Amino acid sequence: MGMRANVRRELVLQLLLTLWIWGTLRVSEGIWLNLPASGTKCVSEELHTNVVVLADYVVVSEDNSRLPAISIKVTSPYGNNLHQKENVTHGQFAFTTQEAGNYLACFWVGADNQGGGDVSVNLDWKTGIAAKDWESVARKEKIEGVELELRKLEGAVEAIHENLLYLKSREAELRTVSETTNTRVAWFSIMSLGLCIVVSVLQLWYLKSFFRKKKLI
Amino acid sequence: MERRQIYVVAALLFTLIGRISSLSVTVNDVECVYEYVLYEGDTVSGNFVVVDHDIFWSSDHPGIDLTVTSPLDNVVHTVKGTSGDKFEFKAPRSGMYKFCFHNPYSTPETVSFYIHVGHIPNEHDLAKDEHLNPINVKIAELREALESVTAEQKYLKARDARHRRTNESTRKRVIGYTVGEYILLAIVSILQVVYIRRLFSKSVAYNRV
């Protein structure tokens, strides 16, 4: 009797989960990718340190009788494995970036696909301010409606300001590299000319002494 | 669990005024990305920049093409042969839009793109839903303006990334080619001296040269 109740609860939970997935699918954000039957499809983003990343992925099919399973692997720029799942139909992951660089998320179709057709995956990838949990802010500070929307706009403006400062610092780095390369080009060209002259003088001096030794001049 | 699901769905519905996606993808031949537009008349805006290109000799990038196809399979927007551009169009109907990048050359390129679907509630929506009032319209307009600033920033960031790669490549080339040039110069001059010595060291050809 206990086991039957468990099975029923499992089915109800499964149904609710499916409904929830379809519910969120109608309103879900993010891009859709078409995975070929064989081969990997990767998306990446270049992020700096201390950025919150929140991502959701769901496999979509026209007939929800059978959802193909996919595998996913998320790697950091230094090669660390941040999230890896095999043969799933949905999932989510979140991390805060420790290193600056290219973060890669790769999808490929699982081995037990029936071999027909492409698989559609919805990937909802949010970074920075978009990944902020506004529900908890609303609950904690007990704000809602227009005030919450304005608070979100304030967050967006702060994110814009931070981005601008970040772009400024990147531009400063770029400028130092450019100026270093500029001075190096000047110095190396002059040194190259000097080296050429020195080498030819050495050659002439050596050959002169060689011919003097051989008593030709 | 059920209450939480309803709460989540309601929260998502409430926050649904605009959607953003910003990612990079490697284009070998054709890569397509799909984005769902919920309401007809939404403004779809975005930009893309070709970040990684391994062109050795020429300084000009041949460019990639972008084609945007509506759910009815007619082309809504197309850009050809650029290394980065911004786009904006009004969606003629709701549905799944296809953004395809086409690379006419054999070298794979990395394209960093950003797509934003923005919805501003109009009078029809105001009349339908009694929870919306005109202030929501103004807030939506403000939000869209801020999103356009964010879009510009993402475009600048992608362009900066590309500039950085060119800079790094120039720096490496300057050092590498200069050191190679010096070594080659030294080797060539030593070889010259050795050759001239050999011309004179044979006793047979002693008087002939």
Side-chain angles (χ1 to χ4, degrees), chain A residues 124-167:
Chain A
D124 183 18
W125 175 278
K126 294 195 271 241
T127 56
I129 188 70
K132 189 156 179 184
D133 187 9
W134 289 111
E135 289 102 52
S136 71
V137 170
R139 258 184 309 206
K140 198 167 61 149
E141 310 197 7
K142 296 195 179 46
I143 53 178
E144 57 174 18
V146 172
E147 195 175 342
L148 183 63
E149 288 300 310
L150 289 175
R151 186 66 68 90
K152 286 187 201 168
L153 290 178
E154 188 184 355
V157 168
E158 274 172 27
I160 287 176
H161 188 216
E162 269 177 43
N163 263 339
L164 210 52
L165 293 175
Y166 173 67
L167 281 176

Side-chain angles (χ1 to χ4, degrees), chain A residues 188-201:
Chain A
F188 287 178
S189 306
I190 294 179
M191 263 173 64
S192 160
L193 190 65
L195 191 74
C196 217
I197 293 175
V198 160
V199 155
S200 44
V201 162

Side-chain angles (χ1 to χ4, degrees), chain A residues 30-50:
Chain A
I31 57 168
W32 270 256
L33 296 169
N34 227 11
L35 301 181
S38 72
T40 328
K41 196 158 245 204
C42 293
V43 287
S44 60
E45 187 169 359
E46 195 162 334
L47 301 164
H48 49 111
T49 55
N50 275 339

Side-chain angles (χ1 to χ4, degrees), chain B residues 42-105:
Chain B
D42 278 355
T43 311
V44 180
S45 60
N47 51 62
F48 68 96
V49 173
V50 180
V51 170
D52 189 3
H53 58 289
D54 298 323
I55 299 196
F56 195 73
W57 300 114
S58 129
S59 64
D60 198 18
H61 191 262
I64 62 159
D65 311 327
L66 165 71
T67 313
V68 184
T69 317
S70 81
L72 298 170
D73 278 338
N74 52 340
V75 174
V76 177
H77 187 86
T78 167
V79 178
K80 284 208 179 300
T82 80
S83 61
D85 204 2
K86 295 185 264 197
F87 59 87
E88 183 174 336
F89 60 90
K90 227 169 156 68
R93 52 166 286 142
S94 67
M96 188 78 87
Y97 280 74
K98 187 160 83 161
F99 296 78
C100 280
F101 297 100
H102 168 60
N103 182 10
Y105 298 89

Side-chain angles (χ1 to χ4, degrees), chain A residues 75-135:
Chain A
T75 48
S76 80
Y78 292 171
N80 300 333
N81 216 351
L82 292 164
H83 175 85
Q84 180 161 14
K85 285 268 168 70
E86 310 272 341
N87 285 336
V88 287
T89 55
H90 61 274
Q92 65 160 232
F93 56 91
F95 57 91
T96 309
T97 58
Q98 307 288 339
E99 310 133 2
N102 227 13
Y103 284 79
L104 194 65
C106 285
F107 297 89
W108 63 97
V109 181
D112 59 343
N113 192 18
Q114 57 268 54
D118 298 339
V119 178
S120 291
V121 180
N122 176 30
L123 174 68
D124 183 18
W125 175 278
K126 294 195 271 241
T127 56
I129 188 70
K132 189 156 179 184
D133 187 9
W134 289 111
E135 289 102 52

Side-chain angles (χ1 to χ4, degrees), chain B:
Chain B
M1 174 128 166
E2 209 173 307
R3 198 179 306 168
R4 179 163 163 76
Q5 287 162 14
I6 295 175
Y7 183 58
V8 165
V9 172
L12 280 171
L13 270 169
F14 187 66
T15 59
L16 189 71
I17 296 187
R19 281 191 306 269
I20 339 167
S21 323
S22 151
L23 284 170
S24 307
V25 77
T26 306
V27 179
N28 283 311
D29 184 21
V30 176
E31 284 291 334
C32 289
V33 168
Y34 301 79
E35 178 90 32
Y36 194 81
V37 175
L38 259 192
Y39 300 96
E40 173 187 327
D42 278 355
T43 311
V44 180
S45 60
N47 51 62
F48 68 96
V49 173
V50 180
V51 170
D52 189 3
H53 58 289
D54 298 323
I55 299 196
F56 195 73
W57 300 114
S58 129
S59 64
D60 198 18
H61 191 262
I64 62 159
D65 311 327
L66 165 71
T67 313
V68 184
T69 317
S70 81
L72 298 170
D73 278 338
N74 52 340
V75 174
V76 177
H77 187 86
T78 167
V79 178
K80 284 208 179 300
T82 80
S83 61
D85 204 2
K86 295 185 264 197
F87 59 87
E88 183 174 336
F89 60 90
K90 227 169 156 68
R93 52 166 286 142
S94 67
M96 188 78 87
Y97 280 74
K98 187 160 83 161
F99 296 78
C100 280
F101 297 100
H102 168 60
N103 182 10
Y105 298 89
S106 51
T107 48
E109 308 287 350
T110 307
V111 177
S112 164
F113 62 89
Y114 172 76
I115 304 171
H116 171 63
V117 180
H119 173 74
I120 298 178
N122 54 15
E123 305 81 33
H124 185 61
D125 297 328
L126 280 180
K128 256 200 307 193
D129 185 359
E130 73 256 6
H131 289 294
L132 291 178
N133 53 21
I135 200 171
N136 285 89
V137 178
K138 281 294 165 207
I139 288 180
E141 284 177 11
L142 200 57
R143 191 196 194 97
E144 287 307 303
L146 287 180
E147 290 295 348
S148 75
V149 179
T150 311
E152 280 292 335
Q153 284 192 327
K154 293 215 193 273
Y155 183 57
L156 286 176
K157 190 169 147 196
R159 292 256 291 230
D160 171 86
R162 180 172 144 156
H163 194 187
R164 167 177 299 264
R165 280 189 212 221
T166 310
N167 243 12
E168 280 295 310
S169 164
T170 306
R171 189 182 68 91
K172 287 200 187 116
R173 277 187 195 182
V174 160
I175 293 185
Y177 292 178
T178 312
V179 167
E181 183 191 336
Y182 290 177
I183 293 175
L184 201 67
L185 197 65
I187 291 177
V188 161
S189 50
I190 291 175
L191 281 177
Q192 277 181 331
V193 168
V194 163
Y195 181 68
I196 292 176
R197 269 185 72 128
R198 268 191 37 197
L199 277 178
F200 285 97
S201 65
K202 291 209 168 82
S203 43
V204 177
Y206 183 85
N207 282 323
R208 237 188 295 147
V209 182

